[in-house]
Amino acid sequence: MKSLVHLVLRGALLTATPLLAQGTEWVVNGSFTGSLASWTSGGGFSVNAGWEAGWDTTGQGASDSYGVNAGGQALPGPFAPNWIEQTIFVVQGLTYEFRCDVSGARPGNPTTANADIGSVFVEINSVLIGRHDFGPFNPGEIKRAQLAGVYVPAASGNVTLRVSTERQFVATATSPRINIDNVSLRDTVGPTFWIDGNRLLGSNVLSSVRGAPNVFFGSFAALGSSAGVSFPGVAGLYTLDPATTVTLRFGVLDAAGRSDLPAAIPTSPLLLSVPIHYQAGMIAGTPSLGLEFAVVASQ
């Protein structure tokens, strides 16, 4: 059966019309270009929260982002999270993939360690979609990660997409800072795949896939992406570079449609500058391909 999965998901790249379109972006100004337009901010206390230019959230170059020194004003805690949010329209029964890039560092005092950078979590219509805890700050490092997850609305209509940050220590201008960029919510017909964890060289992360329960899946990597090609009878487009594509693994999603397997990031410095592109597919009645993404490592 695994060989059948391989043939379906990596067979000859023939052109054909995919069964379903995918990839419409529903977030407005998820890249925070020029301002926080379309976003509303609120929640608990924080320092220097707002639009920021020139920070490299992804490791692939400086850009505009949302930045915040999260935490409380005075001990004792706990401290309420602060957040940014916007209203989005969703359709009942469709599958939506959420993804955003996040980084944690201490630009205000980069040579001094700290017990915790803080955490980021996202909710859609008050449903938790994903959470990332950065953990401690070590001098000189920048931790980079992605939040990703799946949302299937029970009803059509406007809902709130909220991205929150929190830290259970006092926030100051020199405490650790969190940046958020490339906030995205797109409809998808295939599985959602991401690298779960701080992508530091030599660290251990999770290879995470979300899709239909109890189905076969495959994940792939490449050194580039393409405009997209289609397989006969497969929903979605294959958007990795065919010439450099390699197979990462095959498996079966559990009864909740999940797979989380440990993966080690090599210590090669090339991974700091060369983006690796990823995509996954699954067979749930109709074979389908998910959305591609690309990341670099950090140190």
Side-chain angles (χ1 to χ4, degrees):
M1 179 61 74
K2 288 186 179 180
S3 62
L4 175 60
V5 178
H6 187 276
L7 289 172
V8 171
L9 296 179
R10 283 204 64 200
L13 301 179
L14 302 175
T15 56
T17 302
L19 299 182
L20 291 172
Q22 66 171 337
T24 299
E25 179 60 71
W26 296 102
V27 174
V28 179
N29 194 27
S31 60
F32 305 103
T33 301
S35 72
L36 293 185
S38 301
W39 294 94
T40 301
S41 60
F45 177 80
S46 62
V47 173
N48 295 331
W51 176 80
E52 182 174 345
W55 180 257
D56 187 358
T57 304
T58 66
Q60 299 184 62
S63 66
D64 295 350
S65 64
Y66 170 78
V68 57
N69 294 28
Q73 191 165 13
L75 293 171
F79 303 125
N82 68 300
W83 45 259
I84 55 173
E85 66 179 27
Q86 66 175 259
T87 300
I88 57 174
F89 183 82
V90 295
V91 177
Q92 179 182 2
L94 289 186
T95 299
Y96 294 87
E97 175 182 296
F98 174 86
R99 193 181 300 268
C100 73
D101 293 298
V102 296
S103 71
R106 197 176 186 185
N109 191 0
T111 61
T112 303
N114 192 272
D116 186 36
I117 294 172
S119 302
V120 185
F121 60 96
V122 58
E123 300 163 293
I124 301 177
N125 200 23
S126 299
V127 176
L128 181 65
I129 303 302
R131 180 184 179 94
H132 179 72
D133 303 315
F134 283 104
F137 170 76
N138 298 307
E141 74 181 5
I142 299 176
K143 290 183 174 179
R144 294 185 170 98
Q146 281 192 338
L147 266 74
V150 175
Y151 177 65
V152 181
S156 300
N158 290 325
V159 296
T160 298
L161 166 65
R162 175 177 288 187
V163 183
S164 301
T165 61
E166 64 180 1
R167 178 174 173 270
Q168 296 308 315
F169 293 90
V170 172
T172 69
T174 60
S175 62
R177 186 165 177 83
I178 294 170
N179 286 76
I180 300 168
D181 200 1
N182 304 317
V183 181
S184 171
L185 188 76
R186 294 190 287 171
D187 50 284
T188 181
V189 296
T192 291
F193 173 38
W194 74 102
I195 308 300
D196 189 0
N198 298 311
R199 299 190 304 270
L200 294 168
L201 290 180
S203 66
N204 293 312
V205 293
L206 291 176
S207 172
S208 295
V209 181
R210 298 292 183 270
N214 303 312
V215 304
F216 286 100
F217 74 92
S219 58
F220 313 98
L223 293 178
S225 61
S226 70
V229 293
S230 56
F231 297 88
V234 177
L237 295 176
Y238 188 78
T239 53
L240 297 184
D241 170 37
T244 60
T245 292
V246 296
T247 301
L248 295 179
R249 64 185 176 97
F250 293 109
V252 179
L253 299 177
D254 66 15
R258 303 166 59 98
S259 175
D260 295 294
L261 289 181
I265 296 181
T267 56
S268 171
L270 286 175
L271 296 177
L272 298 174
S273 58
V274 178
I276 307 299
H277 298 249
Y278 300 91
Q279 192 172 10
M282 67 181 180
I283 299 178
T286 298
S288 61
L289 292 161
L291 299 169
E292 171 262 343
F293 69 96
V295 293
V296 297
S298 187
Q299 66 178 6

